[in-house]
Amino acid sequence: NAGVTQTPKFRILKIGQSMTLQCTQDMNHNYMYWYRQDPGMGLKLIYYSVGAGITDKGEVPNGYNVSRSTTEDFPLRLELAAPSQTSVYFCASSTGGAGTGELFFGEGSRLTVL
Amino acid sequence: AQSVAQPEDQVNVAEGNPLTVKCTYSVSGNPYLFWYVQYPNRGLQFLLKYITGDNLVKGSYGFEAEFNKSQTSFHLKKPSALVSDSALYFCAVRDMNRDDKIIFGKGTRLHILP
């Protein structure tokens, strides 16, 4: 199984550009999450989804949007990129909620906004 | 508000020696606690969790963690460190308001010296 797959792995954006980070999982997990990781700051939750058609904001949702039209896919959209969005982004999925079991992570997408 | 603290940014241990990575938590009610590991340029991987039961929890790669309610701690341990254990370690706690969210600590970088 591929698990959780993220694309692209690396991307450089100019200020004001937009892009979508793709995330797909083949484990039929209901729960999916987007985190950003900044040095010394741990992981911050951006958005999450408990099933197809349902999304909710996490701790740091400003400047991002998500959709969940299928169980497998959970893309993260960055609108009007800003230098503060330079980070490593991780998508994760789980069978039950993250607070009850194991999260499965993708390998990350490193985004630089210049 | 619930939180976890990892008081050490970095821990250095000689290969073959026992290692401890510290984590303390602050929650109302009974905590659900987790440890994840991140190897360079990879996503996080689940190591172990404590939900209820025995205070000593065994996990992947020979790691274990001890839940101590009186000290509100959940330290990660291994009897004999390997160079390959060098990585970034994250403690996490379930958000007591939502089963589907966990809160990560800032991480502790573990260096195992040959």
Side-chain angles (χ1 to χ4, degrees), chain A:
Chain A
N1 283 344
V4 179
T5 302
Q6 292 182 233
T7 57
K9 292 191 185 304
F10 303 93
R11 183 73 185 268
I12 298 175
L13 282 181
K14 294 182 179 179
I15 294 172
Q17 288 185 320
S18 300
M19 75 160 296
T20 299
L21 299 178
Q22 302 291 344
C23 176
T24 187
Q25 52 93 6
D26 61 0
M27 296 173 283
N28 201 34
H29 287 167
N30 285 325
Y31 294 80
M32 296 189 74
Y33 303 81
W34 274 105
Y35 291 91
R36 59 176 288 172
Q37 182 181 26
D38 300 303
M41 300 297 291
L43 275 75
K44 299 295 184 185
L45 182 63
I46 304 171
Y47 270 96
Y48 66 106
S49 169
V50 301
I54 306 169
T55 62
D56 206 351
K57 295 178 179 179
E59 302 171 77
V60 290
N62 291 343
Y64 307 94
N65 277 301
V66 294
S67 59
R68 184 93 183 271
S69 57
T70 67
T71 299
E72 294 79 19
D73 300 309
F74 190 43
L76 178 71
R77 177 86 177 159
L78 281 73
E79 304 283 0
L80 298 175
S84 61
Q85 292 178 305
T86 294
S87 188
V88 181
Y89 292 83
F90 288 98
C91 180
S93 71
S94 61
T95 305
T100 58
E102 177 180 352
L103 278 172
F104 293 82
F105 282 82
E107 297 208 339
S109 298
R110 184 176 295 273
L111 176 67
T112 302
V113 182
L114 300 174

Side-chain angles (χ1 to χ4, degrees), chain B residues 53-65:
Chain B
D54 195 344
N55 289 343
L56 186 63
V57 180
K58 294 189 182 297
S60 306
Y61 312 122
F63 283 94
E64 57 190 25

Side-chain angles (χ1 to χ4, degrees), chain B residues 31-113:
Chain B
Y32 289 13
L33 296 157
F34 305 83
W35 275 102
Y36 283 81
V37 59
Q38 184 181 29
Y39 297 103
N41 300 313
R42 302 296 298 273
L44 278 70
Q45 296 178 33
F46 174 82
L47 276 179
L48 51 82
K49 67 181 179 184
Y50 171 84
I51 293 181
T52 188
D54 195 344
N55 289 343
L56 186 63
V57 180
K58 294 189 182 297
S60 306
Y61 312 122
F63 283 94
E64 57 190 25
E66 185 171 11
F67 172 67
N68 187 316
K69 189 172 184 177
S70 63
Q71 298 186 3
T72 62
S73 66
F74 189 56
H75 300 334
L76 183 70
K77 300 181 180 184
K78 188 174 182 181
S80 179
L82 300 173
V83 172
S84 57
D85 293 329
S86 298
L88 188 56
Y89 290 81
F90 291 95
C91 183
V93 65
R94 183 188 67 165
D95 185 324
M96 299 304 285
N97 297 318
R98 296 291 299 263
D99 274 348
D100 46 19
K101 292 167 64 177
I102 59 175
I103 299 164
F104 285 92
K106 294 183 177 182
T108 298
R109 189 164 298 280
L110 178 63
H111 285 289
I112 307 301
L113 309 171

Side-chain angles (χ1 to χ4, degrees), chain B residues 4-23:
Chain B
V4 288
Q6 295 182 243
E8 302 154 317
D9 291 335
Q10 182 169 311
V11 172
N12 297 322
V13 177
E15 186 177 25
N17 283 1
L19 70 86
T20 299
V21 182
K22 296 179 180 177
C23 173

